[in-house]
Amino acid sequence: SSGINAEYGDITKDGVIYFTDSSSRHPRKYNLYAFLEGGPHGTLFSYDLNTLEIQVLMSGLHMPNGVQLAADESYLLVSETVRARIIRYWLKGEKAGSWDFFATNLPGYPDNIRRRENGGYWVGMAAIRRHPFSLVDYLAPYPQVRATITKILPYYLLRSLASQYGMVVVLDEFGNILDSLQDPGGAVVPSVSEVAEIGGVLYIGSYHSNYIARLTLRNEF
């Protein structure tokens, strides 16, 4: 085990932190190995600042990353990056403790999720799903092949093969895609790890960049 690679999280008004461990097999600096392998080695945790109690809410996740609370804190969204989908974990009401799929078959592999000021969510895509051919999608039914590749392929070579394509997807409160922002050549944003909207301005960060991009939003966003 590589220990807990604490990933992106969120905190409730009552002081409960929600966060993920994206992989128990690969440390953060080798996240592309975890991505390519795509195994069920991720976990969603909660940590109560009042009781100092930590709980496992979900396990067996496929590279969980972004965590975002709903505005009313009734549920939690968790991106399951390798599966190109977002899980909704219910925190309140009759469904508390259960989960369902909020968004599936996304055009890219979701990383961080953040609320929009006008409702809905911004979702940063760590990479896009290439059409008509995506290596990760093609190898999805072959876990042993994926695992073998991570053992024989040097990490620097795998990094060089990563696509340079920035994408941010806009979801409504039901998980439907409303729009997207794209940088097809990755000239400014090669991939998107984090998106934050503040006062009509979108700040976009990438795990692979040493700067933060800034975009003034038009009225339609």
Side-chain angles (χ1 to χ4, degrees):
S1 171
S2 59
I4 292 181
N5 299 303
E7 293 296 333
Y8 320 96
D10 205 352
I11 183 170
T12 67
K13 297 174 182 177
D14 294 331
V16 178
I17 299 173
Y18 296 96
F19 64 98
T20 57
D21 174 14
S22 59
S23 175
S24 60
R25 287 172 55 85
H26 300 284
R28 179 64 180 168
K29 65 179 181 179
Y30 295 129
N31 63 337
L32 288 180
Y33 280 154
F35 176 74
L36 182 59
E37 186 179 63
H41 309 303
T43 309
L44 171 65
F45 296 91
S46 68
Y47 177 69
D48 193 319
L49 292 175
N50 302 298
T51 64
L52 305 183
E53 180 182 11
I54 188 169
Q55 291 185 342
V56 173
L57 302 181
M58 296 183 69
S59 59
L61 298 173
H62 297 79
M63 200 178 182
N65 276 309
V67 175
Q68 176 62 59
L69 283 162
D72 62 358
E73 299 186 354
S74 62
Y75 63 81
L76 187 71
L77 296 181
V78 182
S79 63
E80 200 174 14
T81 302
V82 179
R83 292 298 178 91
R85 64 193 182 191
I86 296 173
I87 290 171
R88 174 170 48 191
Y89 184 89
W90 291 94
L91 300 173
K92 298 179 180 179
E94 295 180 356
K95 297 181 180 179
S98 66
W99 63 273
D100 54 23
F101 292 120
F102 181 75
T104 60
N105 197 27
L106 293 169
Y109 303 101
D111 201 333
N112 254 320
I113 309 166
R114 291 293 175 254
R115 290 198 300 268
R116 297 175 64 225
E117 293 183 356
N118 291 332
Y121 300 92
W122 299 103
V123 183
M125 296 293 164
I128 67 164
R129 299 168 71 189
R130 292 286 185 182
H131 293 284
F133 178 78
S134 167
L135 179 62
V136 176
D137 286 356
Y138 177 76
L139 293 176
Y142 311 107
Q144 293 301 322
V145 175
R146 298 199 312 267
T148 300
I149 291 176
T150 63
K151 294 176 181 178
I152 64 176
L153 192 66
Y155 192 79
Y156 74 87
L157 181 57
L158 182 62
R159 177 69 190 95
S160 69
L161 296 174
S163 62
Q164 304 291 302
Y165 196 117
M167 179 185 289
V168 177
V169 169
V170 181
L171 300 180
D172 66 15
E173 62 271 26
F174 304 107
N176 301 307
I177 296 178
L178 298 179
D179 213 327
S180 68
L181 300 170
Q182 301 184 39
D183 182 358
V188 178
V189 182
S191 67
V192 182
S193 303
E194 174 67 87
V195 186
E197 180 185 357
I198 303 174
V201 177
L202 203 62
Y203 296 89
I204 305 170
S206 171
Y207 179 77
H208 304 292
S209 301
N210 59 359
Y211 57 87
I212 297 173
R214 183 179 185 273
L215 176 67
T216 300
L217 297 171
R218 301 190 302 268
N219 292 333
E220 55 264 38
F221 287 100

